[in-house]
Amino acid sequence: MSSVLQKLITPLASNASETPRNKVTVVGVGQVGMACAVSILLRDLCDELALVDVMEDRLKGEMMDLQHGSLFLKTSKIVADKDYAVTANSRLVVVTAGVRQQEGESRLNLVQRNVNVFKAIIPQIIKYSPNCTIVVVSNPVDVLTYVTWKLSGLPKHRVIGSGTNLDSARFRYLMAERLGIHASSFNGWVLGEHGDTSVPVWSGANVAGVNLQKLNPDIGTDADKEQWKATHKAVVDSAYEVIKLKGYTNWAIGLSVADLTESILKNMSRVHPVSTMVKDMYGIGEEVFLSLPCVLNSSGVGSVVNMTLTEGEVAQLRKSADTLWGIQKDLKDL
Amino acid sequence: MSTEKLLSRVMEAEPVGSRSKVTVVGVGMVGMASAVSVLLKDLCDELALVDVMEDKLRGEAMDLQHGALFLKTPRIVADKDYSVTANSKVVVVTAGARQQEGESRLNLVQRNVNIFKFIIPNIVKYSPHCILLVVSNPVDILTYVAWKLSGFPRHRVIGSGTNLDSARFRHLMGEKFQLHPSSCHGWIIGEHGDSSVAVWSGVNVAGVSLQKLNPKMGAEDDGERWKDVHKKVVDGAYEVIRLKGYTSWAIGMSVADLVESLLKNLHRVHPVSTLVQGLHGVKDEVFLSVPCILGSGGLTDVVHMTLKPEEEEQLRKSAETLWGVQKELIL
């Protein structure tokens, strides 16, 4: 007795290769990983999504919950497993996994613990997707992007840290709000180290090409009557604020990762502030990763925009580089 | 001041009101998944969030606002005061208590009625012409409660009902046939949850009735065990809850799907919970899911399904159970 399937459908070329062309893997199904996954799915960016984590029940539950929404999506395959074989042939791998800072823990200790986690993750990613591009989101992102680069053996243009992409998005939103315009119409770049010592490049801040520093030469300084510096401070503080209020942040970082994903998968060559290897730029002598405006395409970082920075801004970048190298040089087992 | 040098006002500063505002009540996992799905589909020009937990509410709103660069929804607001919800076109209600271990359905419902007694009048006060979309469980009963408490006409009070059950069914059907769920048609109606009804006669691909190919479909002696597919739909929610603690993404996406039909006046047919008194032999004022047409006016029409006697019997039984609970409620 032939089944309904056999009576309904006559196969013509069912054995034709169905290798995914735009597969994305998200490593880590915590709040950040799932926000990245959902943003990527709802933007129709990939034809296959793979999720990996060590917590098997949670992983399966998240996969099922996404699959139950497949009617509303255009991503035909959503898979998940703790075995990395499920990630094979990914074009892009988003790494959100990692341990969080314990109370009183030094940054070096946190990083060393995350190195150990990444040692289990990164080689597995490369094994199954040797030609992928990796976007590192886990914190401290600049150091962990370096760690990923070292552990993966990938060329530097294929390892990107989400860096100050979110800081810049927050900056543009907060600045735009003060002016009553949409964030996308306010152009401003926050570069360097993601976090407390990020650098807002005031000389570049503009609306429709009109340079704000020309309108207000004190902008960003303590002497500034309009206190625009406070807006950058709000950017730095915003992560802490959201964490204090709801326990973590996820939606904004998820949306920003989807934005990077779009540029990479669609070979768009858009410029994003992301963490890249900056040795030999701005007088930096060490192998550190900091955020600069990078042209992102299907190869990863195609090129870096040579930002015109003031002496003060260059000094800040060099200081960040020294701090990062101070941590990186003591890492074991890289 | 910089702004004066930068911008010259053309229009006198009169805030232009929003034209397609959506409010989500409750910023738990379901509420936020619904909010994010609505935002990522560019459905509204203003999103309002309400909850009683003020810190969490503020944190969620900030997190969404920080993504403004990547969105096309210029206003995202939040407050525990409902004035922030004024002039909404659609209000999605996800708030409510979850069932405690060993708690009777009636007790859970009464607890949620008390919550709704605060929420619904506040919604109505600030958006007297809105469409209420109830998601909180038990959804069929709570949609009835929302209808009673709001005083709205029945076409503006909709329960998410079996919209998600049907989506899950179509996903499973798609897996069976290696087809996209949108090409697999099947309707699950009636009571959302354990006693939902899979209408086998309507299940089709490209108009080809699967029951005509397999007359035993859905029966106990069906070699293809389609009944198990329906069981998997019913169990699906419990399994996800067991594995990750709650469900969010699928229900969020299904809510956005409904909101899209309502805001864009699409007149699409969705299985959602509506007043079925007078249909399929149901005598009481109960809400059950049947295929309904959704547009900017709300739930404008109901599609008459030709059901088998046993399917209608199931609907009537559900109606009796629901009425049994509803008549004990203190509204």
Side-chain angles (χ1 to χ4, degrees):
Chain A
M1 187 208 94
S2 55
S3 66
V4 164
L5 178 58
Q6 287 164 329
K7 288 190 226 177
L8 180 70
I9 295 173
T10 303
L12 287 179
S14 303
N15 297 323
S17 152
E18 279 184 18
T19 338
R21 300 188 200 183
N22 284 308
K23 178 169 173 174
V24 174
T25 288
V26 176
V27 181
V29 297
Q31 298 292 351
V32 173
M34 289 315 294
C36 293
V38 162
S39 302
I40 289 170
L41 285 172
L42 282 163
R43 286 225 184 281
D44 293 340
L45 295 179
C46 60
D47 55 7
E48 184 171 332
L49 178 78
L51 302 174
V52 200
D53 201 305
V54 294
M55 302 184 62
E56 293 180 80
D57 276 358
R58 175 105 182 245
L59 179 64
K60 188 166 173 221
E62 292 290 1
M63 176 195 74
M64 282 179 73
D65 205 0
L66 292 179
Q67 286 173 340
H68 288 169
S70 58
L71 171 61
F72 310 110
L73 299 171
K74 295 205 173 93
T75 303
S76 53
K77 215 168 153 189
I78 297 172
V79 292
D81 206 304
K82 75 167 195 238
D83 185 331
Y84 279 76
V86 81
T87 71
N89 300 312
S90 297
R91 278 193 64 193
L92 184 71
V93 178
V94 178
V95 181
T96 71
V99 294
R100 264 184 243 175
Q101 209 155 352
Q102 310 282 36
E103 194 140 6
E105 182 177 24
S106 77
R107 249 178 123 198
L108 177 58
N109 204 55
L110 167 69
V111 177
Q112 185 63 63
R113 285 203 294 137
N114 270 329
V115 166
N116 299 334
V117 173
F118 273 44
K119 278 174 78 175
I121 294 176
I122 306 300
Q124 289 287 301
I125 292 175
I126 301 302
K127 174 178 176 186
Y128 290 102
S129 306
N131 298 316
C132 73
T133 300
I134 301 183
V135 172
V136 181
V137 185
S138 324
N139 272 316
V141 67
D142 301 298
V143 178
L144 289 180
T145 309
Y146 167 82
V147 168
T148 303
W149 176 54
K150 281 288 178 199
L151 289 173
S152 65
L154 287 174
K156 60 185 180 170
H157 64 269
R158 285 206 175 268
V159 184
I160 303 164
S162 60
T164 56
N165 194 41
L166 179 53
D167 309 49
S168 297
R170 285 181 172 133
F171 183 68
R172 293 173 70 179
Y173 164 67
L174 291 170
M175 295 290 283
E177 277 289 287
R178 277 185 77 165
L179 297 172
I181 59 179
H182 191 266
S184 61
S185 293
F186 180 90
N187 300 301
W189 295 82
V190 176
L191 303 176
E193 194 181 344
H194 167 66
D196 299 358
T197 43
S198 61
V199 181
V201 182
W202 293 108
S203 56
N206 73 89
V207 175
V210 178
N211 188 297
L212 258 59
Q213 200 171 49
K214 288 223 170 67
L215 295 183
N216 176 1
D218 288 331
I219 198 170
T221 67
D222 291 318
D224 175 14
K225 288 196 195 66
E226 294 168 285
Q227 280 298 297
W228 287 97
K229 192 173 180 174
T231 311
H232 175 241
K233 185 167 189 311
V235 170
V236 169
D237 291 343
S238 44
Y240 297 118
E241 252 222 276
V242 177
I243 291 171
K244 194 166 66 98
L245 292 168
K246 67 176 246 194
Y248 54 89
T249 90
N250 64 335
W251 303 124
I253 181 70
L255 288 167
S256 70
V257 165
D259 192 48
L260 300 178
T261 302
E262 190 177 17
S263 285
I264 296 169
L265 290 183
K266 293 186 183 177
N267 196 26
M268 286 178 79
S269 296
R270 278 191 303 180
V271 185
H272 299 266
V274 288
S275 196
T276 188
M277 226 283 281
V278 296
K279 178 163 179 275
D280 299 330
M281 288 186 229
Y282 303 104
I284 293 170
E286 309 293 0
E287 281 181 342
V288 292
F289 280 68
L290 288 172
S291 287
L292 290 176
C294 298
V295 180
L296 295 186
N297 57 35
S298 48
S299 307
V301 179
S303 35
V304 177
V305 173
N306 295 320
M307 224 32 190
T308 327
L309 299 174
T310 64
E311 269 181 38
E313 287 160 349
V314 172
Q316 267 180 283
L317 288 187
R318 284 221 276 262
K319 213 167 133 221
S320 288
D322 288 340
T323 311
L324 293 173
W325 186 246
I327 294 176
Q328 284 170 200
K329 72 186 200 311
D330 290 328
L331 291 175
K332 302 196 197 354
D333 312 323
L334 268 190
Chain B
M1 198 205 122
S2 282
T3 336
E4 284 155 5
K5 290 194 232 175
L6 180 68
L7 302 167
S8 293
R9 273 240 170 265
V10 168
M11 180 192 88
E12 270 327 298
E14 231 168 73
V16 182
S18 54
R19 299 163 64 106
S20 55
K21 179 170 173 174
V22 173
T23 287
V24 176
V25 181
V27 297
M29 292 302 181
V30 173
M32 288 315 294
S34 303
V36 160
S37 301
V38 166
L39 286 172
L40 277 160
K41 283 171 71 88
D42 294 339
L43 294 180
C44 59
D45 58 6
E46 184 173 342
L47 177 77
L49 303 175
V50 200
D51 202 301
V52 293
M53 302 184 60
E54 291 180 80
D55 277 358
K56 168 104 171 136
L57 177 63
R58 212 170 135 234
E60 292 290 2
M62 277 181 80
D63 206 0
L64 292 180
Q65 287 164 346
H66 289 165
L69 174 61
F70 312 108
L71 298 169
K72 296 204 171 93
T73 303
R75 253 177 90 77
I76 297 173
V77 293
D79 205 306
K80 76 167 198 241
D81 186 325
Y82 278 74
S83 57
V84 80
T85 72
N87 300 315
S88 298
K89 288 278 189 300
V90 178
V91 177
V92 181
V93 183
T94 72
R98 257 184 248 175
Q99 211 156 344
Q100 308 285 31
E101 196 140 7
E103 181 175 23
S104 79
R105 250 179 123 202
L106 179 58
N107 201 53
L108 169 69
V109 175
Q110 187 60 60
R111 284 202 292 136
N112 276 333
V113 165
N114 297 337
I115 291 172
F116 271 42
K117 275 178 171 172
F118 172 72
I119 292 176
I120 306 295
N122 267 306
I123 294 173
V124 171
K125 174 177 175 186
Y126 290 102
S127 305
H129 308 291
C130 75
I131 297 165
L132 277 171
L133 180 55
V134 179
V135 184
S136 323
N137 271 317
V139 67
D140 301 298
I141 296 182
L142 289 181
T143 310
Y144 165 83
V145 170
W147 175 56
K148 281 289 178 196
L149 291 174
S150 64
F152 277 3
R154 44 86 52 105
H155 64 268
R156 286 200 282 121
V157 185
I158 304 166
S160 60
T162 56
N163 194 42
L164 178 54
D165 310 50
S166 299
R168 285 185 173 127
F169 181 78
R170 295 171 72 181
H171 157 70
L172 292 170
M173 205 175 143
E175 296 266 290
K176 230 175 163 31
F177 293 136
Q178 289 297 289
L179 299 173
H180 192 271
S182 61
S183 295
C184 299
H185 303 281
W187 293 81
I188 305 228
I189 61 170
E191 193 182 343
H192 168 64
D194 301 358
S195 34
S196 61
V197 177
V199 182
W200 301 113
S201 56
V203 177
N204 73 89
V205 174
V208 179
S209 159
L210 296 193
Q211 198 173 42
K212 288 224 171 65
L213 298 181
N214 172 11
K216 295 215 177 105
M217 188 180 202
E220 286 302 333
D221 57 342
D222 170 15
E224 305 213 300
R225 312 286 327 143
W226 278 93
K227 197 166 180 175
D228 289 350
V229 177
H230 179 227
K231 186 166 192 311
K232 257 180 115 173
V233 171
V234 169
D235 292 344
Y238 296 118
E239 241 223 289
V240 175
I241 292 171
R242 187 179 65 82
L243 293 167
K244 69 174 247 196
Y246 54 90
T247 91
S248 57
W249 306 123
I251 181 67
M253 291 183 219
S254 72
V255 163
D257 188 51
L258 298 176
V259 171
E260 188 178 25
S261 286
L262 293 169
L263 288 181
K264 294 185 184 176
N265 194 26
L266 293 181
H267 289 272
R268 280 191 300 180
V269 185
H270 299 267
V272 288
S273 194
T274 186
L275 183 65
V276 292
Q277 189 180 34
L279 293 174
H280 301 296
V282 172
K283 302 258 183 334
D284 299 307
E285 269 186 349
V286 292
F287 280 65
L288 290 173
S289 288
V290 286
C292 301
I293 299 180
L294 299 186
S296 49
L299 196 149
T300 56
D301 311 84
V302 170
V303 173
H304 288 295
M305 288 188 108
T306 317
L307 299 178
K308 299 215 163 52
E310 53 272 24
E311 289 165 341
E312 289 211 329
E313 178 54 33
Q314 257 183 286
L315 290 186
R316 277 199 295 273
K317 252 179 76 192
S318 288
E320 277 169 24
T321 312
L322 292 176
W323 186 245
V325 174
Q326 282 172 201
K327 69 186 203 306
E328 305 296 332
L329 294 176
I330 309 156
L331 282 181

